[in-house]
Coordinates of all heavy atoms in Angstrom, one line a residue:
S1 N 41.8 2.8 0.1 CA 41.4 2.0 -1.1 C 41.2 2.8 -2.4 O 40.8 2.3 -3.4 CB 40.1 1.2 -0.8 OG 39.0 2.1 -0.6
Q2 N 41.5 4.1 -2.2 CA 41.4 5.1 -3.3 C 40.0 5.1 -3.9 O 39.8 5.0 -5.1 CB 42.5 4.7 -4.4 CG 43.9 4.9 -3.9 CD 44.9 4.7 -5.0 OE1 44.8 3.8 -5.8 NE2 45.9 5.5 -5.0
E3 N 39.1 5.3 -3.0 CA 37.7 5.4 -3.4 C 37.5 6.6 -4.4 O 38.2 7.6 -4.2 CB 36.8 5.7 -2.2 CG 35.3 5.8 -2.4 CD 34.6 4.5 -2.4 OE1 35.3 3.5 -2.0 OE2 33.5 4.4 -2.8
P4 N 36.8 6.5 -5.5 CA 36.6 7.6 -6.4 C 36.1 8.8 -5.7 O 35.3 8.7 -4.7 CB 35.5 7.1 -7.4 CG 35.7 5.6 -7.4 CD 36.1 5.3 -5.9
A5 N 36.4 10.0 -6.2 CA 36.1 11.2 -5.5 C 34.5 11.4 -5.5 O 33.8 10.9 -6.4 CB 36.7 12.4 -6.2
F6 N 34.1 12.2 -4.5 CA 32.7 12.5 -4.4 C 32.4 13.9 -4.9 O 33.3 14.8 -4.9 CB 32.2 12.4 -3.0 CG 32.2 11.0 -2.4 CD1 33.3 10.5 -1.8 CD2 31.1 10.2 -2.6 CE1 33.4 9.2 -1.4 CE2 31.1 8.9 -2.1 CZ 32.2 8.4 -1.5
D7 N 31.2 14.2 -5.4 CA 30.8 15.5 -5.9 C 30.3 16.4 -4.8 O 30.3 17.6 -4.9 CB 29.7 15.3 -7.0 CG 30.1 14.4 -8.1 OD1 31.2 14.7 -8.8 OD2 29.5 13.4 -8.4
L8 N 29.7 15.8 -3.8 CA 29.1 16.5 -2.7 C 29.4 15.7 -1.4 O 29.1 14.5 -1.4 CB 27.6 16.8 -2.9 CG 26.9 17.7 -1.9 CD1 25.7 18.4 -2.6 CD2 26.4 17.0 -0.7
I9 N 29.8 16.4 -0.3 CA 30.1 15.7 0.9 C 29.3 16.5 2.0 O 29.5 17.7 2.2 CB 31.6 15.7 1.2 CG1 32.3 14.9 0.1 CG2 31.8 15.1 2.6 CD1 33.8 14.9 0.3
F10 N 28.5 15.8 2.8 CA 27.7 16.4 3.9 C 28.2 15.9 5.2 O 28.1 14.7 5.5 CB 26.2 16.0 3.6 CG 25.3 16.6 4.6 CD1 25.3 17.9 5.0 CD2 24.3 15.8 5.2 CE1 24.4 18.5 5.8 CE2 23.3 16.3 6.1 CZ 23.4 17.7 6.4
I11 N 28.7 16.8 6.0 CA 29.3 16.4 7.3 C 28.2 16.8 8.4 O 28.0 17.9 8.7 CB 30.6 17.2 7.6 CG1 31.6 16.9 6.5 CG2 31.1 16.9 9.0 CD1 32.9 17.7 6.6
D12 N 27.6 15.7 9.0 CA 26.5 15.9 9.9 C 26.6 14.8 11.0 O 25.6 14.1 11.2 CB 25.2 15.9 9.2 CG 24.0 16.4 10.1 OD1 24.3 17.0 11.1 OD2 22.9 16.0 9.8
A13 N 27.7 14.6 11.6 CA 27.8 13.6 12.7 C 28.3 14.3 14.0 O 27.9 15.4 14.2 CB 28.8 12.6 12.2
D14 N 29.0 13.6 14.8 CA 29.5 14.2 16.1 C 30.4 15.4 15.8 O 31.4 15.2 15.1 CB 30.2 13.1 16.9 CG 31.3 12.4 16.2 OD1 31.1 12.0 15.0 OD2 32.4 12.2 16.8
K15 N 30.0 16.5 16.3 CA 30.7 17.8 16.0 C 32.2 17.8 16.5 O 33.0 18.5 16.0 CB 30.0 19.0 16.5 CG 28.5 19.0 16.1 CD 28.2 18.7 14.7 CE 26.8 18.5 14.4 NZ 26.5 18.0 13.0
E16 N 32.4 17.0 17.6 CA 33.8 17.0 18.2 C 34.8 16.5 17.1 O 36.0 16.9 17.2 CB 33.8 16.0 19.4 CG 33.0 16.5 20.5 CD 31.5 16.1 20.5 OE1 31.0 15.7 19.4 OE2 30.8 16.1 21.5
N17 N 34.4 15.7 16.1 CA 35.3 15.2 15.2 C 35.2 15.9 13.8 O 35.7 15.3 12.8 CB 35.1 13.7 15.0 CG 35.7 12.9 16.2 OD1 36.8 13.1 16.5 ND2 34.9 12.0 16.7
N18 N 34.6 17.0 13.7 CA 34.4 17.7 12.5 C 35.7 17.9 11.7 O 35.8 17.8 10.5 CB 33.7 19.0 12.6 CG 32.2 18.9 12.5 OD1 31.6 17.8 12.4 ND2 31.5 20.0 12.4
S19 N 36.8 18.3 12.5 CA 38.0 18.6 11.8 C 38.6 17.3 11.2 O 39.3 17.4 10.1 CB 39.0 19.2 12.8 OG 38.6 20.6 13.1
V20 N 38.4 16.2 11.9 CA 38.9 14.9 11.4 C 38.2 14.6 10.1 O 38.8 14.2 9.1 CB 38.7 13.8 12.4 CG1 39.1 12.4 11.8 CG2 39.5 14.1 13.6
Y21 N 36.8 14.8 10.1 CA 36.0 14.5 8.9 C 36.4 15.4 7.8 O 36.4 14.9 6.6 CB 34.5 14.6 9.3 CG 34.1 13.7 10.4 CD1 33.1 14.1 11.2 CD2 34.7 12.5 10.6 CE1 32.7 13.3 12.3 CE2 34.3 11.7 11.6 CZ 33.3 12.0 12.5 OH 32.9 11.2 13.5
L22 N 36.7 16.6 8.0 CA 37.1 17.5 7.0 C 38.4 17.1 6.3 O 38.6 17.1 5.1 CB 37.2 19.0 7.5 CG 37.7 20.0 6.5 CD1 36.7 20.1 5.3 CD2 37.9 21.4 7.1
K23 N 39.4 16.7 7.2 CA 40.7 16.2 6.7 C 40.5 15.1 5.6 O 41.0 15.1 4.6 CB 41.5 15.7 7.8 CG 42.9 15.2 7.4 CD 43.6 14.5 8.5 CE 43.0 13.2 8.9 NZ 43.8 12.4 9.9
Y24 N 39.6 14.1 6.0 CA 39.4 13.0 5.1 C 38.5 13.4 3.9 O 38.7 13.0 2.8 CB 38.7 11.9 5.8 CG 39.6 11.1 6.7 CD1 39.4 11.0 8.1 CD2 40.6 10.3 6.2 CE1 40.2 10.3 8.9 CE2 41.5 9.6 7.0 CZ 41.3 9.6 8.4 OH 42.1 8.8 9.2
A25 N 37.6 14.3 4.1 CA 36.7 14.8 3.0 C 37.5 15.4 1.9 O 37.3 15.2 0.7 CB 35.7 15.8 3.6
L26 N 38.6 16.2 2.3 CA 39.4 16.8 1.3 C 40.2 15.8 0.5 O 40.4 16.0 -0.7 CB 40.4 17.8 2.0 CG 39.8 19.1 2.5 CD1 40.7 19.8 3.5 CD2 39.3 20.0 1.4

């Protein structure tokens, strides 16, 4: 949906998916 960019992203969920979260965070 092309959400506007974020200024700060905090990744603190299930660690098994950290790489997935980083991909989307970028």
